[in-house]
Amino acid sequence: MKNPLWFWGAFLLFFALLFAVGVPVMIYAQASYPVPLDGRTPPGWAHTLLAVSVGLWLGLLYAYMDTLVLAGLRSVRRMHDILTRGEPRSARIEQVISLPGSVDGFPQLRLRLAFDNLSGTPITDELVLVDSKPLQRRYEVGRTLPARLSRSPGPYPNMSLEGGTPEINRSTLCWRALIGVFLVAVVASAYGMAWQLQNDGIGWTFLSLGHPLLICPLVLWVFVVGIRLLMRRLQADAAGNALKYRGVRTVAIIDEVRQTGAFFNEQPQVEFQLRFNDVAGQPQRAVIRRYVPLIDLATIPRDTLQILYDPESPQRVQMDQDAARRAWLGATEAR
């Protein structure tokens, strides 16, 4: 799930930048520039718009730094906490993929590991690591490795291998920080250019609700909020990760299947009305919404569905991705 989300995030960011910068500037240049003296904004309202504009840009800068810079530092700190106080588990290697590039001359690997979560439910998850001792062939399919799970699952990562030494890619972190500084310089230059070209000796009164300094960050904020809502819908955020790591697997009976009318990348959203019994034998009801490829609409389950539910809040459920993957692999092998 992570790779498609990064792809679509980058794809949407390209169009967000196009429509957030290019289109507003073109429209403003054609329709509102230059601003006549009788069309100027009152000074008080102009300074309010200036404060809102600066606040929006600062918020975007914080979102960028928090997601692409600080998140890496938090992940390393979280990995250290898992190694110190995590729940011990045995993880079996199901798949090994060599990633392009290297770190300090050592290869990078993506492992798919199978283990029991905090509730004892077998799950799988992926872990990217640097193999500092490749000649020992420690990471081969079928091998079992000692691991630890976070006792309070949430944001990635939630699992680490025993004996690991969490480190951050400093060069990548520096590049992201430099890009952040460059973006700050670009925005500051935009304010300076707007001031030089439009102040006409009477301050920020050229600002209006349609000015690019206000419209551009607003459009980018729509993109940021949209991506976060999408990740929440796809259960690829911290809440989805937490449910996977402490969820209990069960088979739910499907009472109703319907299309909601929502689409993503031309894939319709399907809603499953479910009922099941929790570990205490209490009946529970829940709803799962899922985007399904058109080619798979005819084969979606309509009788039962394997799910993971939160033992502390049984109404919180998600589709069992591991069971779905095994079913897909079985169907592929049968062909």
Side-chain angles (χ1 to χ4, degrees), residues 53-54 56-57 187 190-191 194 204 206-207 211-217:
S53 173
V54 172
L56 289 172
W57 283 115
V187 174
Y191 276 96
W204 294 95
F206 59 86
L207 285 178
H211 198 280
L213 290 177
L214 195 65
I215 295 298
C216 293

Side-chain angles (χ1 to χ4, degrees), residues 41-211:
T41 303
W45 179 236
H47 285 95
T48 300
L49 293 178
L50 176 63
V52 171
S53 173
V54 172
L56 289 172
W57 283 115
L58 289 176
L60 286 171
L61 174 63
Y62 173 79
Y64 173 88
M65 297 296 291
D66 183 68
T67 303
L68 295 180
V69 179
L70 299 179
L73 299 175
R74 287 196 300 269
S75 294
V76 171
R77 186 166 61 247
R78 185 172 173 81
M79 290 283 276
H80 281 292
D81 182 71
I82 293 172
L83 288 170
T84 303
R85 296 178 294 193
E87 183 78 16
R89 284 291 189 275
S90 292
R92 183 172 56 84
I93 301 176
E94 288 193 340
Q95 185 184 51
V96 181
I97 298 176
S98 297
L99 300 178
S102 62
V103 177
D104 296 331
F106 297 116
Q108 297 184 86
L109 304 176
R110 177 184 289 118
L111 308 183
R112 176 176 288 278
L113 302 170
F115 51 91
D116 292 343
N117 71 4
L118 296 174
S119 299
T121 298
I123 62 171
T124 65
D125 203 1
E126 292 185 347
L127 182 68
V128 176
L129 53 80
V130 178
D131 187 2
S132 60
K133 300 177 181 179
L135 296 179
Q136 294 185 9
R137 304 174 67 88
R138 296 175 295 172
Y139 307 113
E140 293 183 335
V141 174
R143 285 203 170 191
T144 300
L145 305 172
R148 287 187 177 269
L149 309 185
S150 171
R151 296 181 186 271
S152 55
Y156 179 88
N158 290 297
M159 180 261 295
S160 179
L161 297 179
E162 288 273 19
T165 53
E167 294 182 3
I168 195 165
N169 191 323
R170 297 182 182 276
S171 62
T172 299
L173 191 67
C174 289
W175 272 111
R176 291 176 178 178
L178 287 174
I179 291 174
V181 172
F182 171 75
L183 293 176
V184 170
V186 170
V187 174
S189 299
Y191 276 96
M193 185 178 299
W195 171 266
Q196 290 293 331
L197 295 176
Q198 296 185 274
N199 82 90
D200 293 333
I202 49 178
W204 294 95
T205 57
F206 59 86
L207 285 178
S208 65
L209 290 175
H211 198 280

Side-chain angles (χ1 to χ4, degrees), residues 228-237 262 269 289 291:
R228 294 194 174 182
L229 290 176
L230 175 61
M231 293 181 69
R232 186 176 300 175
R233 283 292 185 90
L234 296 177
Q235 294 183 320
D237 57 354
Q269 187 186 63
R289 295 182 179 89
Y291 291 99

